[in-house]
Amino acid sequence: MSVLSALAKATAARTGRAEPIAARRHYHLADRPLVLVPLRLAGEAAAPLAVMLGTAPEDSTVLLVAQPRDRILRLRFIEQLADRVLPYISAFCENAEELTVKSTGETYLRYLDAPQLLVPNLGGVQFLRLLGRSVRFHRTEGENAVAESLPLLGRWLTWFGDRSDFPGSSVCLAMTSVLTAHWASGQSALEDANLAALLGWIDPPAGLTGAQAAALAEDPLTSPPAGPATDPGFDNEELAPLIAAYDGAEHEWAKVIATERLEQALRGQLEPTWRLMWRAVELLRELPEGASVDRRWTDDRSAFSWFVSDIPEGYPQARRDSAVSATRRLLKQEQALDTFQAQRAFDDPRVLIEYRLAGEAFQGTVAECEPERRAKPKSREVPRPYVWVHTTDPFRGRVGETLFRIDRPAQKAEVVAVSDDVVQLELVSGMGQGKNPAVGSVPEEGDPIGFARFSPSGFGGPPAKLPPREETPWTHGGPPPDPAAEHQEEWS
């Protein structure tokens, strides 16, 4: 935890309300996200019990398994889930744009939008991943064949789970993680994993402090767990007798009645979380979207488009990554994390404060400027204005190092000299292609301005090149690599 985050938590504990730590929303929110609130049977890693899903607060559907230990009923439940999730995904495969890779001349389709799944917490993401893994290898022909929609849903749930591992991706979001990236509560990180308690700090009811609202959320009778695990008291006192009543029913009408009672009980567990999910969406929509969010969503659309094109091949994802593919995946995740953190800092002044305190960036005021200065670094003279920036930030620049302008990330400057509170810079790019700097590209005396040691591409500069097989990067709009060759031996 950084000093600023610790200060925000201490302030929240003192004021009784969560403290904003971001002025922009750093995740894409779809116009029609698919919200899922899953529940699983206690003691079973991937035994589904129920799920409430829908694309609007008033449009909810509850699916349940009357006996989660019954394999046939579980498969029937997953088939019903597929009947609702797959059409939602297919709706985004109607409109696409055709793009061309400059290096190879190949063309590919990129869909104009992509699906988005919202779940209450990281446990929900992990449960969907396990559920997908449990069915994506099922056979659709021969003995014990299942409907084609089951392994297809398994592949999609696996893809959503894998994609959620990439920082900045928005196709599968855990609501508690998104909220804690924008607000700091006055409780521990472990308590922040409780959606009701976290929202109690962010948006407490009238007349209550965040701590009081969070304390009320600890009562499982008024605020049932957000899943996927259920409350042990509910399991023992309500769920177990209802499942036993279903098992003991000898007639079909008795099973129908037992199922209806079970659904009523499970709705009571799901509906509070359902309302919390949509309240969280409302709060996030009130934040203005960060400038780089659309670029990252383009990455998600590219990954989605590639996976759609890969579906007809019929190969499910490998049970486990090989050493090479795992290394590539880790490298991509590290690059995505660097890029995400840097872009958040450039988009959001609240996030940038963290880096200003660490001496990695600074904000100040232009004390003096030489906009007409020119230099001849190569064969011809070009604009090279000098700018003197007065700052009180603890920035200690090194002469000759390159900095990136916060409000114009394409503009670079080199440090010429550093005094106690003034940094002298030479602007070296981002001023247009003409003989004179473009209008507005050179700051004037008195203008606020800021620079950082890192670029929006990440803290290490441009992303490192991947092995030759992946020379065409799929990030920022390009098509992703085809993993068929490296996983062929693992599909079994």
Side-chain angles (χ1 to χ4, degrees):
M1 181 184 296
S2 67
V3 174
L4 198 61
S5 298
L7 176 62
K9 277 190 168 291
T11 303
R14 178 175 57 83
T15 61
R17 195 179 184 105
E19 190 74 10
I21 56 175
R24 301 286 188 273
R25 173 164 43 84
H26 299 286
Y27 292 91
H28 175 81
L29 274 183
D31 295 334
R32 198 172 65 94
L34 181 62
V35 174
L36 297 101
V37 182
L39 295 178
R40 63 170 173 81
L41 185 65
E44 301 285 344
L49 176 63
V51 63
M52 179 175 278
L53 71 162
T55 56
E58 66 282 355
D59 175 30
S60 64
T61 300
V62 173
L63 306 176
L64 62 91
V65 186
Q67 175 46 273
R69 295 183 178 87
D70 188 319
R71 179 179 180 274
I72 301 301
L73 293 180
R74 281 207 309 266
L75 293 178
R76 190 177 303 166
F77 163 85
I78 298 173
E79 186 175 355
Q80 293 173 345
L81 181 63
D83 290 341
R84 287 160 176 80
V85 175
L86 294 181
Y88 170 78
I89 296 174
S90 299
F92 295 91
C93 301
E94 297 176 354
N95 300 314
E97 56 185 346
E98 187 174 284
L99 302 177
T100 303
V101 182
K102 293 182 179 179
S103 59
T104 63
E106 297 178 357
T107 60
Y108 68 100
L109 292 179
R110 184 173 68 195
Y111 294 104
L112 301 181
D113 205 354
Q116 183 180 59
L117 304 187
L118 302 180
V119 294
N121 47 42
L122 291 174
V125 176
Q126 182 64 14
F127 176 75
L128 293 181
R129 193 200 308 265
L130 289 175
L131 191 64
R133 181 175 181 176
S134 69
V135 297
R136 74 173 187 261
F137 291 102
H138 279 35
R139 297 174 180 175
T140 58
E141 297 178 355
E143 187 178 0
N144 298 324
V146 299
E148 293 184 358
S149 60
L150 267 71
L152 180 57
L153 176 66
R155 295 185 64 185
W156 273 113
L157 292 182
T158 301
W159 180 81
F160 279 110
D162 290 346
R163 190 70 189 156
S164 69
D165 291 337
F166 283 84
S169 174
S170 297
V171 295
C172 185
L173 296 176
M175 193 56 69
T176 51
S177 298
V178 177
L179 292 175
T180 52
H182 296 82
W183 285 275
S185 71
Q187 59 188 5
S188 68
L190 181 63
E191 292 169 314
D192 282 344
N194 184 324
L195 180 61
L198 180 58
L199 276 174
W201 280 95
I202 297 173
D203 185 36
L208 296 180
T209 65
Q212 292 170 338
L216 292 177
E218 295 178 1
D219 184 359
L221 297 179
T222 57
S223 297
T230 50
D231 177 61
F234 169 77
D235 292 343
N236 296 328
E237 298 174 12
E238 295 189 52
L239 183 61
L242 289 172
I243 293 179
Y246 177 86
D247 290 338
E250 298 180 356
H251 303 285
E252 190 63 30
W253 58 267
K255 287 186 178 294
V256 172
I257 293 175
T259 302
E260 291 176 351
R261 291 176 177 172
L262 183 60
E263 180 180 350
Q264 184 178 4
L266 290 173
R267 275 188 176 273
Q269 297 291 300
L270 291 165
E271 286 179 346
T273 302
W274 178 261
R275 292 191 293 268
L276 291 174
M277 288 290 291
W278 287 106
R279 178 55 185 152
V281 171
E282 291 177 3
L283 292 172
L284 289 168
R285 289 197 194 280
E286 293 174 1
L287 295 175
E289 188 176 84
S292 62
V293 171
D294 185 64
R295 189 189 314 174
R296 293 192 295 274
W297 184 243
T298 300
D299 293 346
D300 284 329
R301 291 193 292 115
S302 298
F304 168 72
S305 303
W306 168 79
F307 193 73
V308 170
S309 66
D310 184 60
I311 288 291
E313 298 295 331
Y315 297 117
Q317 296 92 328
R319 294 183 185 275
R320 60 186 61 85
D321 286 338
S322 66
V324 174
S325 60
T327 302
R328 287 192 178 122
R329 177 179 172 83
L330 181 60
L331 177 61
K332 290 179 184 177
Q333 290 177 350
E334 291 175 347
Q335 292 175 353
L337 178 60
D338 278 352
T339 302
F340 182 45
Q341 290 176 336
Q343 289 176 347
R344 288 179 71 236
F346 273 79
D347 289 352
D348 195 329
R350 285 183 181 267
V351 178
L352 182 64
I353 292 176
E354 295 271 6
Y355 301 95
R356 291 170 60 187
L357 289 175
E360 295 298 315
F362 69 91
Q363 291 274 21
T365 305
V366 177
E368 188 179 347
C369 183
E370 288 187 14
E372 304 298 330
R373 179 179 179 274
R374 304 179 69 84
K376 191 176 181 180
K378 293 183 179 179
S379 59
R380 64 186 181 92
E381 282 194 349
V382 292
R384 287 292 185 267
Y386 273 158
V387 177
W388 286 263
V389 181
H390 177 270
T391 180
T392 57
D393 291 344
F395 178 80
R396 295 293 177 265
R398 300 183 297 272
V399 175
E401 74 171 316
T402 300
L403 304 180
F404 299 84
R405 186 171 167 180
I406 300 296
D407 59 333
R408 298 173 67 94
Q411 186 168 87
K412 300 178 184 179
E414 290 185 0
V415 177
V416 177
V418 181
S419 63
D420 290 340
D421 56 359
V422 176
V423 181
Q424 182 183 355
L425 302 172
E426 180 185 40
L427 302 183
V428 298
S429 67
M431 293 171 287
Q433 301 297 322
K435 293 182 178 180
N436 298 314
V439 177
S441 62
V442 178
E444 299 179 357
E445 186 174 337
D447 286 349
I449 197 170
F451 288 87
R453 283 195 167 108
F454 51 89
S455 76
S457 299
F459 296 93
K465 287 188 177 181
L466 295 174
R469 183 184 298 173
E470 298 181 314
E471 282 182 350
T472 304
W474 56 266
T475 53
H476 304 306
D482 183 0
E486 68 186 49
H487 286 330
Q488 184 68 45
E489 71 280 1
E490 299 181 19
W491 283 317
S492 58

